[in-house]
Amino acid sequence: MDGENPMIWAAELHHYKGRYYYFATFTNRDVKIDTVRGNVIERRTSHVLVSDKPDGPYAPMKDPVYLPADKPTLDGTFWVGKDGKPYMVYCHEWLQNWNGTIEKIELKPDLSGSVGEGKLLFLASDSPWSKERREDGSIVPNKVTDGPYVFRTQTGKLGMLWTSWIYNVYAQGVAYSESGTLDGPWVQEAEPITPPDFGHGMLFRTFEGKLLMAIHSHKCVNGRYIRIPHLFEVDDAGDKIVVVKSF
């Protein structure tokens, strides 16, 4: 799965039916799956590990592949639909399709593998807030999709955080499903949900019941890309979440 010099990204831990599941992105730099516009694409995929304890150890399950090996995917997250079926929501990377996507795939009941094929939920270009400037000076939606996280507000509205860029600034938006299911259609909010240079957020409730968003900014230090964690207080009492203040 990971080769000799792997990159392991985007850890998420989810408690489900008495066990703990570790959703992560693995890149095997020894395996090349495609070349697009002169760029060689390495084997990258979202995968699931399992443990009986939150602090591990975590081990792979039965199926070695959840998503197609010829498709670079990342940032898998977990959701259980109204139908009771478990799903992985993930990105198909823009490096291959040049217009990143958010997709879903059904998981086996014990999350040990996937069922059927992935389904498109929305495209990077659906975003009204993300932007990039082409070489000819024209401004178009950014092609990056990153860090999906699915949630439901207290009124039952289904939403999804996801991240892209506004020119060279990391930015996080939110979309809401008109059907209340992963199938959408997903309507994008006009503006980012968090301040500039924050992205890849998740929501969690403290033991005291306060809803917080865990998120990161980043900076380069001596050529290294350093992620800096941060918390925001969030209000989910209505049909749309509101970021209240830095925590």
Side-chain angles (χ1 to χ4, degrees), residues 94-113:
W94 67 273
L95 290 170
Q96 186 177 57
N97 57 30
W98 224 245
N99 187 5
T101 69
I102 304 287
E103 304 182 6
K104 72 163 188 176
I105 194 166
E106 185 182 339
L107 298 175
K108 294 179 179 179
D110 64 355
L111 313 192
S112 65

Side-chain angles (χ1 to χ4, degrees), residues 109-220:
D110 64 355
L111 313 192
S112 65
S114 56
V115 178
E117 298 180 350
K119 178 183 176 181
L120 174 67
L121 302 184
F122 59 83
L123 299 160
S125 59
D126 292 338
S127 164
W129 51 265
S130 72
K131 295 179 178 65
E132 65 179 78
R133 192 183 305 275
R134 288 177 170 166
E135 291 182 0
D136 63 5
S138 61
I139 296 172
V140 296
N142 198 286
K143 49 188 173 287
V144 173
T145 49
D146 190 54
Y149 182 77
V150 187
F151 63 89
R152 200 177 290 282
T153 71
Q154 292 185 43
T155 64
K157 191 75 171 178
L158 187 69
M160 187 191 305
L161 298 168
W162 69 283
T163 300
S164 188
W165 294 80
I166 299 176
Y167 306 122
N168 63 340
V169 178
Y170 205 45
Q172 180 180 244
V174 62
Y176 292 95
S177 170
E178 289 194 330
S179 69
T181 72
L182 288 179
D183 291 325
W186 289 91
V187 178
Q188 306 290 333
E189 292 289 277
E191 300 294 335
I193 187 73
T194 39
D197 198 32
F198 288 99
H200 208 131
M202 295 179 69
L203 299 172
F204 70 98
R205 208 167 287 279
T206 68
F207 292 117
E208 294 75 32
K210 187 183 294 292
L211 185 64
L212 298 179
M213 178 187 293
I215 197 167
H216 73 77
S217 60
H218 61 266
K219 63 181 178 181
C220 286

Side-chain angles (χ1 to χ4, degrees), residues 49-71:
L49 312 179
V50 66
S51 177
D52 291 321
K53 299 185 296 182
D55 52 353
Y58 286 84
M61 287 183 284
K62 179 181 176 183
D63 290 5
V65 176
Y66 282 75
L67 297 163
D70 60 353
K71 185 175 178 178

